[in-house]
Amino acid sequence: MTRPPTAAQRRVIDAADPVTGRLRGTESQLAALVKRELAFRHPRPPHDHFLTPAGHRIREETATPAASAPEAAEPAQEPARESSGVFAARIGDEEGIDSGPSRIREVHSAWQGLLELRRMTNPHGVVDRPCAWERTHLVQAAALALEAAGHRPAGADGEGYRVRATPQPEAVAVRGPDAGALRECAATLEQAGWQVGEHTEPRTGARYLLASPRRI
């Protein structure tokens, strides 16, 4: 997505079903949301359209009650965003890390949206393993699972997890500050439906995780 949704597209997003994220709109509106990765078309009939985690984030943002305005007005409480303004899970080493209430709420919302995406797109509606979207957004998907479980992304002090892409297909590398943190990250990813193995870097001897979305 290169620019924010239009006013008409926002109205479609805001009117989505609050539980399932099902959308109603014209074919052109829905197609535009799919192109921006804010919605997806269900592969099975009747081929309805649903919000992606990014779409849920937009909806959550516009639905935030006025009572939370004082908190949102504090710069320290503003969540980190991509240049497009869409929610982004923390992969580690971002500047201005915020772990305040607003960030906790948006991470929870994104994770719930991802679970719904699994339910709507995985065979038989299973939610215990990653869906197709996660397989094409490996780093963000793994980072969201970690952040949603309460793990801390690496900041200026170097403490916390780091998720990075690897040359290996469908695999990400996860590094932590120590062996204990690494084991905790492995347990979280396994619970979220990832296959995880611990490896050693030949040159440095540092331990890291190699994680891939589980298929079965």
Side-chain angles (χ1 to χ4, degrees):
M1 183 173 136
T2 58
R3 61 187 185 281
T6 66
Q9 290 167 352
R10 277 187 175 272
R11 286 194 292 272
V12 174
I13 292 172
D14 292 343
D17 185 282
V19 177
T20 66
R22 179 175 286 147
L23 295 163
R24 291 288 182 268
T26 66
E27 285 299 321
S28 60
Q29 287 173 331
L30 297 175
L33 291 176
V34 170
K35 185 176 181 180
R36 292 166 179 243
E37 296 188 353
L38 296 176
F40 69 95
R41 184 173 182 267
H42 199 284
R44 295 191 293 271
H47 301 298
D48 284 333
H49 288 73
F50 297 84
L51 291 175
T52 63
H56 277 283
R57 170 67 187 95
I58 294 291
R59 187 181 187 281
E60 178 79 5
E61 182 181 63
T62 56
T64 301
S68 65
E71 178 183 69
E74 300 178 12
Q77 297 298 321
E78 284 294 321
R81 302 172 189 273
E82 294 177 328
S83 59
S84 62
V86 176
F87 171 86
R90 301 248 168 78
I91 66 173
D93 293 330
E94 292 90 347
E95 295 183 1
I97 294 257
D98 165 44
S99 58
S102 61
R103 180 63 186 181
I104 293 173
R105 283 196 301 271
E106 70 174 3
V107 170
H108 174 76
S109 176
W111 178 248
Q112 292 304 311
L114 184 55
L115 291 179
E116 181 62 19
L117 189 60
R118 288 183 178 188
R119 187 181 74 81
M120 296 305 303
T121 60
N122 277 340
H124 311 297
V126 298
V127 297
D128 62 350
R129 63 176 178 264
C131 61
W133 182 88
E134 291 169 272
R135 298 178 191 283
T136 58
H137 298 77
L138 293 170
V139 173
Q140 280 289 309
L144 177 55
L146 292 172
E147 192 176 359
H151 296 279
R152 181 173 179 262
D157 58 5
E159 295 294 317
Y161 67 79
R162 292 179 175 87
V163 183
R164 297 293 186 267
T166 71
Q168 183 171 328
E170 286 206 353
V172 295
V174 180
R175 293 171 173 80
D178 54 56
L182 210 56
R183 285 193 296 270
E184 291 175 358
C185 286
T188 291
L189 290 171
E190 288 171 351
Q191 187 175 4
W194 293 67
Q195 296 180 24
V196 183
E198 191 170 337
H199 300 266
T200 302
E201 293 183 350
R203 288 182 295 178
T204 65
R207 301 291 288 174
Y208 69 97
L209 303 177
L210 199 62
S212 301
R214 184 166 58 84
R215 289 188 176 277
I216 299 175

